Amino acid sequence: MTELKVAIIGGGGFMGYAHSLGWALAPITADTGATIRKAVLVEADEDRAKTAAQRLNWEDWSTDWREVIARDDIDIIDIVTPPAVHAEIAIAALAAGKHVFVEKPISNDLAEADLMQAAAETSTGVSQVGFNYRHAAAMTFVKRMLDDGTLGHPLQFRAHYTQDVGALGRVLSGWRAKKGAGGSGVTGDIGSHIIDLASYLVGDIDSVTAIIGAKDPAENTAWLPDDERLQGEYLDDAALWMAKFNNGAIGSFACTVYASGRKNRMFFELECTGGTVEFDWNHSDHIKLSLVSDNPDQQGFRTITLNENHEDYRYPLGGMGSGYVDDAALQLQKFVRAIVDKQAGSPSFADATRTQRVISAVMQSADSHQWVTIDEVTA
Ligand SMILES: NC(=O)c1ccc[n+]([C@@H]2O[C@H](COP(=O)([O-])OP(=O)(O)OC[C@H]3O[C@@H](n4cnc5c(N)ncnc54)[C@H](O)[C@@H]3O)[C@@H](O)[C@H]2O)c1
């Protein structure tokens, strides 16, 4: 069996923890066709690198990602740094022929995303982006019902991604707050997940119109006018946008980190000609489903509990409560399987670059107060 050696860059943070668990679980919960070695954890600071490598069970540590990319024995570069440094590391790794997994958003900047997509398209390495939620068994089930016609044609998608970290005055990581520190704002950070899900389930977005708000953490003023926000480099803390999809469906999206009580709630409803589905990540083992074809005296929503009959559900019986770590493992399993089968990873750098284009369109629309067409957005 193939052995794949992984190096994780930025492994001492939040995603370093989630991916370390994911890499450990991936070959246990499914046959990926390869064995995995958690070979090297990289952090810029030596103490942080050593401590994290030991706690998260990596064989070795380094403070220099360039030296790790140059090593012949490393097969996979897993990038979990803040998005501002994704491009530099990913492009170097792809040029060296490594397989590259990079966390979302692919970058903070459309120009960098375009360069990353071009690098992926000419590399011998397989590449994939960490939009983890699309891999959850519940999403595989919804996607299947869309592909096999059970749900019919998508009509309207309404998604929220809400957290309370801003309301509680918590800064999750220093880089998130300001553009200069490498942050991507709430639209890039959590909004990108619901854009990815919309693209995966409903199809490509054609155009958007948006409103965004930013609260100045220093002054504690709610919400900053656009010109002050841009001048102060404050990113968006709240965003609302409407979208038209290429296939005629329509959508609305909301994200904020000022939602008291919402710890990490990703929620959507999708109405289609054949039925409706509702999903809430806080109940990730459940899908609410209503079908137009249900008997007239049984119309309404049923709650389906995911179980061993659903693809990508990894326990021998339902109701076991699969969640974030299962999802981390699922996306890495699919990435490894793509490497073994010499297939493209999904979502690809091209998919994530299109998501980045939608993020740029949301920003442009909030500034111009106009509808923005995604294909017309340039870097
Ligand atoms: N998919 C998800 O559910 C999800 C959730 C949270 C974060 N993310 C994404 O994961 C990425 C990291 O976010 P996080 O919350 O883990 O951030 P974090 O700040 O907790 O961790 C980032 C780590 O990268 C390290 N780092 C920064 N620059 C480095 C460099 N040049 N070389 C080596 N190490 C470096 C930092 O020291 C830090 O330990 C971001 O792209 C973020 O958007 C994804």
Side-chain angles (χ1 to χ4, degrees), residues 23-342:
W23 283 118
L25 268 190
I28 295 174
T29 56
D31 176 13
T32 56
T35 55
I36 305 290
R37 280 189 44 198
K38 287 163 62 194
V40 192
L41 182 146
V42 184
E43 272 286 335
D45 173 80
E46 185 173 324
D47 276 351
R48 194 168 168 90
K50 265 190 209 166
T51 310
Q54 190 179 29
R55 183 168 64 91
L56 301 170
N57 202 24
W58 289 79
E59 292 171 17
D60 197 1
W61 58 270
S62 169
T63 54
D64 182 355
W65 57 263
R66 288 183 181 80
E67 169 265 321
V68 171
I69 287 175
R71 274 173 58 169
D72 287 339
D73 64 326
I74 297 297
D75 304 289
I76 295 175
I77 300 293
D78 179 19
I79 305 166
V80 295
T81 58
V85 282
H86 287 178
E88 191 185 9
I89 303 172
I91 291 169
L94 286 165
K98 305 296 183 192
H99 306 298
V100 175
F101 190 98
V102 65
E103 258 306 336
K104 51 50 64 182
I106 187 167
S107 66
N108 283 345
D109 179 292
L110 187 52
E112 285 182 350
D114 283 338
L115 292 173
M116 291 168 81
Q117 179 182 342
E121 283 167 0
T122 52
S123 173
T124 51
V126 172
S127 44
Q128 189 171 315
V129 180
F131 286 112
N132 48 324
Y133 295 111
R134 69 152 70 187
H135 299 284
M139 292 309 95
T140 306
F141 178 50
V142 173
K143 177 76 171 146
R144 176 155 296 231
M145 288 192 291
L146 284 160
D147 290 348
D148 70 13
T150 305
L151 285 170
H153 188 75
L155 297 172
Q156 187 168 164
F157 180 79
R158 291 183 302 280
H160 290 181
Y161 199 144
T162 48
Q163 296 179 337
D164 66 357
V165 283
L168 298 179
R170 274 185 66 201
V171 180
L172 209 54
S173 307
W175 58 266
R176 278 188 165 85
K178 272 190 141 190
K179 194 171 181 188
S184 54
V186 79
T187 309
D189 195 22
I190 55 178
S192 60
H193 279 295
I194 46 181
I195 298 170
D196 177 68
L197 275 183
S199 311
Y200 179 58
L201 297 174
V202 184
D204 278 346
I205 293 174
D206 166 79
S207 47
V208 293
T209 183
I211 307 172
I212 68 178
K215 187 169 164 164
D216 176 346
E219 300 296 332
N220 209 25
T221 50
W223 302 100
L224 286 179
D226 280 359
D227 53 346
E228 271 183 55
R229 172 180 59 78
L230 295 170
Q231 209 179 15
E233 281 210 319
Y234 291 112
L235 294 155
D236 51 327
D237 290 314
L240 292 170
W241 65 99
M242 291 194 291
K244 294 180 209 161
F245 291 81
N246 285 346
N247 60 10
I250 56 176
S252 67
F253 299 74
C255 51
T256 180
V257 287
Y258 283 87
S260 171
R262 299 295 186 204
K263 293 298 172 191
N264 185 54
R265 184 174 190 245
M266 194 191 61
F267 170 87
F268 71 80
E269 292 175 298
L270 171 60
E271 283 122 19
C272 304
T273 50
T276 297
V277 286
E278 180 187 306
F279 175 70
D280 179 345
W281 174 255
N282 294 150
H283 305 278
S284 57
D285 264 359
H286 295 121
I287 283 287
K288 288 194 176 155
L289 173 69
S290 165
L291 293 175
V292 172
S293 59
D294 289 341
N295 286 339
D297 60 352
Q298 292 173 3
Q299 291 279 330
F301 282 89
R302 76 202 73 159
T303 301
I304 295 171
T305 303
L306 291 210
N307 61 60
E308 69 283 7
N309 297 297
H310 293 98
E311 193 183 337
D312 289 338
Y313 184 83
R314 296 287 190 242
Y315 295 95
L317 78 166
M320 300 310 292
S322 53
Y324 197 66
V325 174
D326 299 85
D327 205 27
L330 272 166
Q331 64 173 355
L332 297 175
Q333 277 163 4
K334 292 180 188 179
F335 178 56
V336 171
R337 187 35 87 185
I339 294 170
V340 170
D341 294 345
K342 300 187 173 18

Side-chain angles (χ1 to χ4, degrees), residues 5-29:
K5 288 176 84 172
V6 184
I8 190 167
I9 320 293
F14 175 10
M15 279 303 103
Y17 173 74
H19 282 221
S20 295
L21 294 171
W23 283 118
L25 268 190
I28 295 174
T29 56

